[in-house]
Amino acid sequence: INAEYGGNELFLYVYDPSDEGFQPNGKQRISAIVNPGGDTYTPSSGIWQTVWLENVPDSYISQVKITSDLQSVTVTAQVTGRTSIVKYDVITQGRVVASSSAPAGTPTLIRVPEPKLWS
């Protein structure tokens, strides 16, 4: 989808098998409308939150995996799109103390000088 300012339409279809299948449905059931009783609520379905379109970049980080020990951190970033190299910076108090870069999806080891430990 290519969203453009002021000229978009979004069509949604909602399927809600409230009284069918094996999904849990709690106290909501369609039959409560014609056969109320017990401890049931009128079923509700459909879209209950705002729906919108928004532009996103062609390339973005979709997942990050971070592992660490007392001297270093290993980072792997999965990138969706055309970006091939990811640059990593370790920042403390606004200052870059270590950095590295690697192809997207490839783990990179970053040695951190004088790491500050916490508990």
PDB file of all heavy atoms in Angstrom, residues 3 13 23 26 30 49 51 54 58 60 62 78 98 112 115:
ATOM      1  N   ALA A   3       0.505   4.910   0.865  1.00  0.00           N
ATOM      2  CA  ALA A   3      -0.387   5.914   1.443  1.00  0.00           C
ATOM      3  C   ALA A   3       0.031   7.295   0.968  1.00  0.00           C
ATOM      4  O   ALA A   3       1.211   7.612   0.930  1.00  0.00           O
ATOM      5  CB  ALA A   3      -0.343   5.845   2.964  1.00  0.00           C
ATOM      6  N   TYR A  13     -12.823  -5.983   6.188  1.00  0.00           N
ATOM      7  CA  TYR A  13     -13.851  -7.005   6.310  1.00  0.00           C
ATOM      8  C   TYR A  13     -13.603  -7.707   7.634  1.00  0.00           C
ATOM      9  O   TYR A  13     -12.479  -8.113   7.926  1.00  0.00           O
ATOM     10  CB  TYR A  13     -13.748  -8.001   5.153  1.00  0.00           C
ATOM     11  CG  TYR A  13     -14.614  -9.222   5.340  1.00  0.00           C
ATOM     12  CD1 TYR A  13     -15.979  -9.164   5.069  1.00  0.00           C
ATOM     13  CD2 TYR A  13     -14.078 -10.408   5.790  1.00  0.00           C
ATOM     14  CE1 TYR A  13     -16.779 -10.280   5.243  1.00  0.00           C
ATOM     15  CE2 TYR A  13     -14.870 -11.522   5.974  1.00  0.00           C
ATOM     16  CZ  TYR A  13     -16.210 -11.456   5.693  1.00  0.00           C
ATOM     17  OH  TYR A  13     -17.012 -12.553   5.876  1.00  0.00           O
ATOM     18  N   GLN A  23     -12.885 -21.609  19.467  1.00  0.00           N
ATOM     19  CA  GLN A  23     -12.302 -20.484  20.174  1.00  0.00           C
ATOM     20  C   GLN A  23     -13.073 -20.216  21.468  1.00  0.00           C
ATOM     21  O   GLN A  23     -14.275 -20.413  21.517  1.00  0.00           O
ATOM     22  CB  GLN A  23     -12.264 -19.217  19.303  1.00  0.00           C
ATOM     23  CG  GLN A  23     -13.592 -18.526  19.097  1.00  0.00           C
ATOM     24  CD  GLN A  23     -14.423 -19.145  17.975  1.00  0.00           C
ATOM     25  OE1 GLN A  23     -14.019 -20.128  17.386  1.00  0.00           O
ATOM     26  NE2 GLN A  23     -15.566 -18.589  17.697  1.00  0.00           N
ATOM     27  N   GLY A  26     -16.193 -17.081  26.313  1.00  0.00           N
ATOM     28  CA  GLY A  26     -16.610 -16.551  27.609  1.00  0.00           C
ATOM     29  C   GLY A  26     -18.104 -16.401  27.735  1.00  0.00           C
ATOM     30  O   GLY A  26     -18.864 -17.295  27.398  1.00  0.00           O
ATOM     31  N   ILE A  30     -23.942 -15.289  20.544  1.00  0.00           N
ATOM     32  CA  ILE A  30     -24.990 -14.735  19.701  1.00  0.00           C
ATOM     33  C   ILE A  30     -26.365 -15.142  20.224  1.00  0.00           C
ATOM     34  O   ILE A  30     -27.306 -14.359  20.225  1.00  0.00           O
ATOM     35  CB  ILE A  30     -24.819 -15.217  18.242  1.00  0.00           C
ATOM     36  CG1 ILE A  30     -23.488 -14.740  17.686  1.00  0.00           C
ATOM     37  CG2 ILE A  30     -25.982 -14.794  17.365  1.00  0.00           C
ATOM     38  CD1 ILE A  30     -23.463 -13.351  17.148  1.00  0.00           C
ATOM     39  N   GLN A  49     -11.240  -0.539  17.684  1.00  0.00           N
ATOM     40  CA  GLN A  49     -10.198   0.470  17.852  1.00  0.00           C
ATOM     41  C   GLN A  49     -10.011   1.227  16.537  1.00  0.00           C
ATOM     42  O   GLN A  49     -10.390   0.744  15.478  1.00  0.00           O
ATOM     43  CB  GLN A  49      -8.866  -0.165  18.249  1.00  0.00           C
ATOM     44  CG  GLN A  49      -8.845  -0.653  19.677  1.00  0.00           C
ATOM     45  CD  GLN A  49      -7.448  -1.055  20.101  1.00  0.00           C
ATOM     46  OE1 GLN A  49      -6.607  -1.396  19.297  1.00  0.00           O
ATOM     47  NE2 GLN A  49      -7.200  -1.011  21.395  1.00  0.00           N
ATOM     48  N   VAL A  51      -8.534   2.592  13.168  1.00  0.00           N
ATOM     49  CA  VAL A  51      -7.718   2.015  12.100  1.00  0.00           C
ATOM     50  C   VAL A  51      -7.151   3.171  11.284  1.00  0.00           C
ATOM     51  O   VAL A  51      -7.861   4.134  11.008  1.00  0.00           O
ATOM     52  CB  VAL A  51      -8.572   1.102  11.197  1.00  0.00           C
ATOM     53  CG1 VAL A  51      -7.755   0.558  10.042  1.00  0.00           C
ATOM     54  CG2 VAL A  51      -9.181  -0.031  12.020  1.00  0.00           C
ATOM     55  N   GLU A  54      -0.359   4.645   7.598  1.00  0.00           N
ATOM     56  CA  GLU A  54       0.778   5.517   7.836  1.00  0.00           C
ATOM     57  C   GLU A  54       1.924   5.103   6.936  1.00  0.00           C
ATOM     58  O   GLU A  54       2.061   3.932   6.581  1.00  0.00           O
ATOM     59  CB  GLU A  54       1.221   5.488   9.298  1.00  0.00           C
ATOM     60  CG  GLU A  54       1.706   4.145   9.771  1.00  0.00           C
ATOM     61  CD  GLU A  54       2.073   4.136  11.238  1.00  0.00           C
ATOM     62  OE1 GLU A  54       1.420   4.841  12.026  1.00  0.00           O
ATOM     63  OE2 GLU A  54       3.016   3.420  11.584  1.00  0.00           O
ATOM     64  N   ASP A  58      11.048   2.357   3.463  1.00  0.00           N
ATOM     65  CA  ASP A  58      11.220   1.144   2.670  1.00  0.00           C
ATOM     66  C   ASP A  58      12.081   0.121   3.398  1.00  0.00           C
ATOM     67  O   ASP A  58      11.889  -1.077   3.261  1.00  0.00           O
ATOM     68  CB  ASP A  58      11.868   1.466   1.318  1.00  0.00           C
ATOM     69  CG  ASP A  58      10.919   2.234   0.406  1.00  0.00           C
ATOM     70  OD1 ASP A  58       9.688   2.126   0.589  1.00  0.00           O
ATOM     71  OD2 ASP A  58      11.413   2.941  -0.480  1.00  0.00           O
ATOM     72  N   TYR A  60      13.642  -1.019   7.248  1.00  0.00           N
ATOM     73  CA  TYR A  60      13.509  -0.805   8.685  1.00  0.00           C
ATOM     74  C   TYR A  60      13.985  -2.040   9.435  1.00  0.00           C
ATOM     75  O   TYR A  60      14.046  -3.139   8.882  1.00  0.00           O
ATOM     76  CB  TYR A  60      12.065  -0.459   9.071  1.00  0.00           C
ATOM     77  CG  TYR A  60      11.063  -1.529   8.691  1.00  0.00           C
ATOM     78  CD1 TYR A  60      10.723  -2.537   9.586  1.00  0.00           C
ATOM     79  CD2 TYR A  60      10.456  -1.531   7.442  1.00  0.00           C
ATOM     80  CE1 TYR A  60       9.818  -3.520   9.240  1.00  0.00           C
ATOM     81  CE2 TYR A  60       9.549  -2.504   7.087  1.00  0.00           C
ATOM     82  CZ  TYR A  60       9.229  -3.504   7.992  1.00  0.00           C
ATOM     83  OH  TYR A  60       8.340  -4.487   7.646  1.00  0.00           O
ATOM     84  N   SER A  62      13.401  -4.968  11.690  1.00  0.00           N
ATOM     85  CA  SER A  62      12.222  -5.731  12.075  1.00  0.00           C
ATOM     86  C   SER A  62      12.458  -6.574  13.325  1.00  0.00           C
ATOM     87  O   SER A  62      11.507  -6.972  13.993  1.00  0.00           O
ATOM     88  CB  SER A  62      11.767  -6.629  10.919  1.00  0.00           C
ATOM     89  OG  SER A  62      12.821  -7.463  10.489  1.00  0.00           O
ATOM     90  N   GLN A  78      17.792  -7.876  12.139  1.00  0.00           N
ATOM     91  CA  GLN A  78      17.126  -8.298  10.914  1.00  0.00           C
ATOM     92  C   GLN A  78      16.512  -7.054  10.287  1.00  0.00           C
ATOM     93  O   GLN A  78      15.797  -6.318  10.961  1.00  0.00           O
ATOM     94  CB  GLN A  78      16.042  -9.333  11.209  1.00  0.00           C
ATOM     95  CG  GLN A  78      16.555 -10.607  11.844  1.00  0.00           C
ATOM     96  CD  GLN A  78      17.492 -11.386  10.935  1.00  0.00           C
ATOM     97  OE1 GLN A  78      17.416 -11.310   9.725  1.00  0.00           O
ATOM     98  NE2 GLN A  78      18.396 -12.126  11.556  1.00  0.00           N
ATOM     99  N   ALA A  98      31.911   2.660  21.747  1.00  0.00           N
ATOM    100  CA  ALA A  98      32.265   1.522  20.893  1.00  0.00           C
ATOM    101  C   ALA A  98      31.321   1.526  19.703  1.00  0.00           C
ATOM    102  O   ALA A  98      30.188   2.010  19.794  1.00  0.00           O
ATOM    103  CB  ALA A  98      32.154   0.218  21.661  1.00  0.00           C
ATOM    104  N   VAL A 112      33.200  -3.648  24.589  1.00  0.00           N
ATOM    105  CA  VAL A 112      32.847  -2.436  25.325  1.00  0.00           C
ATOM    106  C   VAL A 112      33.950  -2.162  26.350  1.00  0.00           C
ATOM    107  O   VAL A 112      34.117  -2.939  27.294  1.00  0.00           O
ATOM    108  CB  VAL A 112      31.483  -2.581  26.021  1.00  0.00           C
ATOM    109  CG1 VAL A 112      31.133  -1.323  26.791  1.00  0.00           C
ATOM    110  CG2 VAL A 112      30.405  -2.914  24.997  1.00  0.00           C
ATOM    111  N   PRO A 115      33.009  -1.471  30.859  1.00  0.00           N
ATOM    112  CA  PRO A 115      31.545  -1.492  30.974  1.00  0.00           C
ATOM    113  C   PRO A 115      31.096  -1.156  32.387  1.00  0.00           C
ATOM    114  O   PRO A 115      31.779  -1.444  33.363  1.00  0.00           O
ATOM    115  CB  PRO A 115      31.176  -2.935  30.618  1.00  0.00           C
ATOM    116  CG  PRO A 115      32.420  -3.711  30.875  1.00  0.00           C
ATOM    117  CD  PRO A 115      33.569  -2.783  30.624  1.00  0.00           C
TER     118      PRO A 115
END
